[in-house]
Amino acid sequence: MLGSKNTGWSITVDTGGTFTDVVIADDKGHFIIGKAPTTPDRIFIGLKQALESAAQEIQLSLDEVLGKAELFIYGTTRATNAIVTGNIAKTAFITTAGFPDILVLREGGKFDPHEFSKPYPKPYIPRRHTFEIEERIESTGNVYLPLNEEQAINTIRKIKAKKFEACAVSLLWATSNPAHEKRLGELLTAELAGIPYTLSHELNPILREYRRASSVAIDASIKPLMQSHLSDLEQDLRDQGYRGELLISTTIGGCMDIDSVVERPIHTVRSGPAMGPIAGRRYAQLENQNDSVLVVDTGGTTFDVSLVLENEVSITQETWIGERFTGHMLGIPAVDARSVGAGGGSIAWLDEAGLLRVGPQSAGAKPGPACYDAGGELPTVTDAALVLGYIDPEFFLGGRMKLNLELAKQSVESISSPLGISIEEAAYSIYAVSNETMINAIKDITVSEGIDPAETIIVAGGGAAGFGILPIARELKCKTVIIPRTASVLSASGMQFSDIQFEHTSTMPTRSDAFDSTAVNEALDEVDSVLSRFGDRLEHRGFNERNTHYRVDAHYAAQVWDIAVELPAARIESDSLVQDLIEAFHTNHRRIFSMEDRASPIEFLNWTGRLSISLPTKTISTDQSERESGLQTREVFFGIDDKRSTKIVRGVSVNVGETIEGPAIIEEATTTIVLPPDTEATLSSSGSYVVDLMTNQRTR
């Protein structure tokens, strides 16, 4: 049985678009890293290679590692990539007659109201795949027009005849009375045996029709893919000999049992970036840094940014897949992680005006950057880093993968030749433009949320994090940067610190000037009922340490967008608790928007409970034995005209408490840290390189 103590081994996996990351944590808290290229055709092939590489580090076989493991947590970008590329199931969208354009119109909005050159965005499910059902329920829950079952059956048979692979059902006001949706579910089961469907009142019972409909459409569209994917993964793991628990990481920064995720695969969308701040929070705590924490994760395809405020990971209801307004709304609570196309595999290119751009296109895992020598020809950030001397071509992935410097130079030449500059100048320009993209992403999640980035500390992760994070931090005037030795597998590390988490929402609109405590508490009772059923199902498997937190989405009466507010208690049973809730909203609104409107009433809409079930606690242990230094040097560019002979330090030779002064390159097996001149990094007892930028600024 799994308990709260650090007993058995645990394995966490994050399969990205470029690499599959593995972290094995033994019973003493040692983290062993494995990394291998992702194999999209059969995920387990790359996963097995990453597991084997980690097992080799501790001189064990794969079978021995799997035999010791009690817990396996799996995260994947499969669902996200399917949505972005359109590789989803042929899905029918079923809605109330007269409302076929919910997915077409979205919520309105446009960044530039006078921009007419861009075509109107396509709905997530094509309009021709929308089917209207004759029925109508009022906002009060009363039946205005009964469900026309004969018409519904005929519609379902049309869906079957057109060979749809999934169905998404979102009827008007199903949140007030789900009777018609439930009946449609019964008819779908009877008429479309084996074809998955999603009902909105079960998945996401919230106000705001587009968000509810969008979440249902996304969930249904990835069900065939993810059910097959997760089933294959479980079968492959069992065939390999694993007998422990299998959990799946989710978009709210926790994990769920595989059976629950199969029923609600939308919770796997963007689950990788959601784990970054979980890891960042823990690494900051280990360095006694409990201020605002800015967590950045630079992968092969994207640069993800998230915030941890007062030890709490920021959650948002407005996660877009793609650009805001023109993309598709996830519609469910998710860790607020902003992503831009600026990773190690991001492609550099020249626009029509001859200006250098980096991303959002990525070389991915296949063919990858040109230096991988796997068929890629376009220049990427990784190619530029190799040209600049940041990467040792013989020591990529700890020497398991050799890089081709000449191919990297040839790719960068496609930028340097048109611009009439040297290859090295072009490479540094690619690096600088990529850094600027990352700086703008950081400002978007800090300045726009009322946070001064200079008052945060940075925890940097991702295989490409160490290339430019220190110049970025200096530009933002940040005080401290923490780069864990496990930076290249930040999301997989976050899973080691995560818990099982499950959320449910009940809609009950009320206002601060006429607060209906009875109705609100009834809504919270309904939330607790669903959470308890989920928890009870897992209790017999040893998952029994529970706690529950509650929040509500609210806005001033004249506003459209909601902000989340934590409830002061599990139930609102007194006038003083109502006032505490109102005050908490004003405080949050002032922090985000720098103003409050106490003259306006507050509208409270969606009441959410989050059940957390503790997993075995993992500490981090670092080997502090003395090791001989393996000092080398090579020529490295720290500016277009700043080429220096730079010491190269292998991470295995660095002892706890040792300080490395820049300019220097620290080479860990799966990540590289570039220390510019006038910087220094100290290896802490928890296994992180800590850079105090304030000290460096004072001593210069």
Side-chain angles (χ1 to χ4, degrees):
M1 287 291 188
L2 289 169
S4 62
K5 294 183 179 180
N6 184 12
T7 52
W9 290 31
S10 59
I11 299 172
T12 51
V13 176
D14 178 42
T15 59
T18 306
F19 285 102
T20 293
D21 301 337
V22 165
V23 174
I24 300 173
D26 66 16
D27 54 356
K28 293 182 174 61
H30 292 113
F31 278 19
I32 304 99
I33 298 173
K35 209 172 180 76
T38 296
T39 51
D41 294 338
R42 187 73 173 188
I43 285 294
F44 189 73
I45 296 173
L47 192 160
K48 183 179 179 181
Q49 292 171 352
L51 282 169
E52 288 174 337
S53 71
Q56 290 173 4
E57 292 290 323
I58 49 178
Q59 298 180 338
L60 293 177
S61 69
L62 175 57
D63 290 344
E64 288 174 318
V65 168
L66 292 177
K68 290 176 177 289
E70 295 183 0
L71 182 63
F72 192 108
I73 303 177
Y74 175 72
T76 178
T77 60
R78 178 58 64 96
T80 307
N81 293 342
I83 294 167
V84 171
T85 61
N87 186 27
I88 56 176
K90 182 181 179 182
T91 306
F93 178 60
I94 301 174
T95 190
T96 302
F99 296 87
D101 294 317
I102 294 174
L103 296 178
V104 176
L105 299 176
R106 294 173 168 81
E107 289 181 343
K110 193 177 181 181
F111 280 115
D112 185 353
H114 303 291
E115 170 62 74
F116 298 107
S117 62
K118 294 182 179 179
Y120 193 86
K122 296 180 180 179
Y124 185 76
I125 293 177
R127 178 70 157 72
R128 64 184 181 278
H129 293 171
T130 297
F131 297 86
E132 301 177 61
I133 298 296
E134 294 176 7
E135 65 85 36
R136 187 66 184 272
I137 288 176
E138 297 176 333
S139 61
T140 58
N142 295 325
V143 176
Y144 178 78
L145 181 67
L147 176 68
N148 186 334
E149 291 202 14
E150 182 179 356
Q151 186 256 350
I153 291 172
N154 289 334
T155 299
I156 292 171
R157 288 174 178 171
K158 288 180 183 177
I159 291 171
K160 182 177 182 179
K162 293 184 178 182
K163 301 186 183 305
F164 280 89
E165 300 166 317
C167 294
V169 181
S170 185
L171 302 181
L172 202 66
W173 292 110
T175 53
S176 297
N177 182 352
H180 290 174
E181 275 199 359
K182 288 182 177 180
R183 181 55 183 154
L184 270 178
E186 293 170 353
L187 295 175
L188 286 167
T189 300
E191 297 288 335
L192 299 179
I195 294 180
Y197 62 85
T198 301
L199 306 178
S200 73
H201 77 277
E202 293 180 346
L203 178 72
N204 194 20
I206 61 170
L207 287 180
R208 300 191 185 279
E209 292 145 22
Y210 167 65
R211 299 185 183 198
R212 178 161 55 95
S214 182
S215 65
V216 171
I218 290 172
D219 185 77
S221 72
I222 59 176
K223 265 185 175 173
L225 171 73
M226 293 308 296
Q227 287 176 348
S228 173
H229 176 71
L230 295 175
S231 175
D232 289 346
L233 171 71
E234 183 173 27
Q235 187 62 51
D236 287 339
L237 276 172
R238 301 306 182 195
D239 289 346
Q240 193 66 43
Y242 178 67
R243 296 292 177 263
E245 283 289 346
L246 175 59
L247 302 177
I248 309 298
S249 69
T250 65
T251 189
I252 58 172
C255 50
M256 294 167 60
D257 63 297
I258 190 169
D259 293 335
S260 297
V261 175
V262 164
E263 289 300 314
R264 303 180 178 201
I266 191 173
H267 290 293
T268 66
V269 179
R270 293 187 55 78
S271 60
M275 285 297 175
I278 305 301
R281 176 175 61 185
R282 181 58 179 153
Y283 284 122
Q285 290 170 345
L286 290 170
E287 306 302 333
N288 297 315
Q289 299 283 354
N290 297 315
D291 298 330
S292 300
V293 181
L294 187 62
V295 184
V296 300
D297 190 352
T298 315
T301 305
T302 61
F303 175 75
D304 303 316
V305 191
S306 50
L307 265 177
V308 179
L309 302 175
E310 298 179 353
N311 278 325
E312 293 295 327
V313 175
S314 297
I315 301 294
T316 180
Q317 298 279 2
E318 297 182 22
T319 298
W320 291 86
I321 308 299
E323 293 185 5
R324 190 179 182 189
F325 301 130
T326 59
H328 307 292
M329 173 71 80
L330 197 59
I332 61 172
V335 169
D336 190 3
R338 316 286 173 87
S339 297
V340 293
S346 293
I347 295 170
W349 52 286
L350 300 176
D351 65 14
E352 294 178 352
L355 296 176
L356 177 62
R357 308 286 187 183
V358 178
Q361 303 91 347
S362 173
K366 292 184 178 181
C371 60
Y372 284 13
D373 198 4
E377 297 179 351
L378 299 176
T380 67
V381 174
T382 298
D383 293 308
L386 185 58
V387 171
L388 294 172
Y390 297 162
I391 303 174
D392 181 349
E394 301 297 320
F395 193 67
F396 194 69
L397 291 185
R400 294 190 302 276
M401 183 175 176
K402 309 298 182 183
L403 301 184
N404 191 317
L405 177 58
E406 290 307 313
L407 289 179
K409 289 182 177 180
Q410 290 176 22
S411 69
V412 175
E413 192 175 7
S414 67
I415 299 294
S416 65
S417 290
L419 296 179
I421 58 178
S422 70
I423 291 175
E424 291 77 14
E425 288 176 312
Y428 193 82
S429 298
I430 292 170
Y431 165 79
V433 170
S434 177
N435 282 359
E436 192 62 34
T437 302
M438 297 176 188
I439 289 170
N440 290 335
I442 290 172
K443 288 180 178 178
D444 179 57
I445 201 172
T446 53
V447 176
S448 64
E449 297 292 330
I451 304 295
D452 182 356
E455 297 178 356
T456 68
I457 65 132
I458 294 179
V459 176
F467 293 159
I469 192 58
L470 295 182
I472 289 171
R474 273 184 169 171
E475 178 71 20
L476 296 169
K477 296 181 171 57
C478 294
K479 299 175 289 186
T480 305
V481 177
I482 299 170
I483 308 173
R485 274 182 155 166
T486 58
S488 66
V489 290
L490 191 71
S491 292
S493 297
M495 296 175 203
Q496 293 283 352
F497 309 123
S498 65
D499 293 327
I500 294 176
Q501 295 189 353
F502 180 75
E503 291 195 348
H504 186 71
T505 298
S506 182
T507 296
M508 178 55 235
T510 190
R511 287 168 52 122
S512 58
D513 55 357
F515 196 87
D516 190 341
S517 296
T518 300
V520 166
N521 290 331
E522 288 176 354
L524 291 172
D525 288 342
E526 191 268 333
V527 167
D528 271 351
S529 175
V530 175
L531 297 182
S532 293
R533 288 198 298 272
F534 176 83
D536 292 345
R537 186 163 54 81
L538 296 180
E539 189 169 6
H540 74 282
R541 289 156 58 182
F543 301 113
N544 47 28
E545 295 190 17
R546 311 184 193 178
N547 62 77
T548 307
H549 298 279
Y550 304 88
R551 67 177 184 273
V552 62
D553 300 327
H555 58 244
Y556 288 122
Q559 290 180 322
V560 174
W561 308 114
D562 301 325
I563 61 175
V565 182
E566 296 293 322
L567 268 59
R571 296 292 184 273
I572 309 299
E573 296 176 330
S574 67
D575 291 341
S576 64
L577 288 175
V578 173
Q579 291 304 313
D580 289 344
L581 180 59
I582 291 171
E583 190 59 37
F585 174 84
H586 289 311
T587 299
N588 278 16
H589 196 278
R590 183 171 60 251
R591 176 183 63 80
I592 297 171
F593 300 109
S594 300
M595 57 82 65
E596 58 187 61
D597 182 11
R598 292 180 176 268
S600 294
I602 303 165
E603 292 183 342
F604 301 96
L605 300 178
N606 303 311
W607 304 82
T608 301
R610 172 183 287 195
L611 175 67
S612 296
I613 304 175
S614 299
L615 291 176
T617 303
K618 285 294 175 187
T619 57
I620 299 179
S621 175
T622 302
D623 185 357
Q624 299 191 35
S625 60
E626 295 287 327
R627 279 165 255 185
E628 293 182 3
S629 174
L631 189 62
Q632 301 174 342
T633 62
R634 68 169 173 262
E635 297 297 308
V636 176
F637 286 84
F638 293 97
I640 289 179
D641 299 316
D642 187 3
K643 181 180 180 182
R644 305 188 183 209
S645 178
T646 303
K647 61 178 177 286
I648 310 300
V649 182
R650 291 286 169 86
V652 294
S653 70
V654 181
N655 299 302
V656 171
E658 182 178 346
T659 297
I660 301 166
E661 296 182 355
I665 304 290
I666 303 173
E667 294 181 338
E668 291 285 340
T670 57
T671 193
T672 298
I673 301 170
V674 179
L675 288 179
D678 299 320
T679 63
E680 59 182 32
T682 302
L683 181 62
S684 72
S685 60
S686 60
S688 293
Y689 293 97
V690 181
V691 182
D692 184 346
L693 293 174
M694 297 301 292
T695 297
N696 294 329
Q697 290 170 10
R698 287 193 294 267
T699 57
R700 285 206 307 271

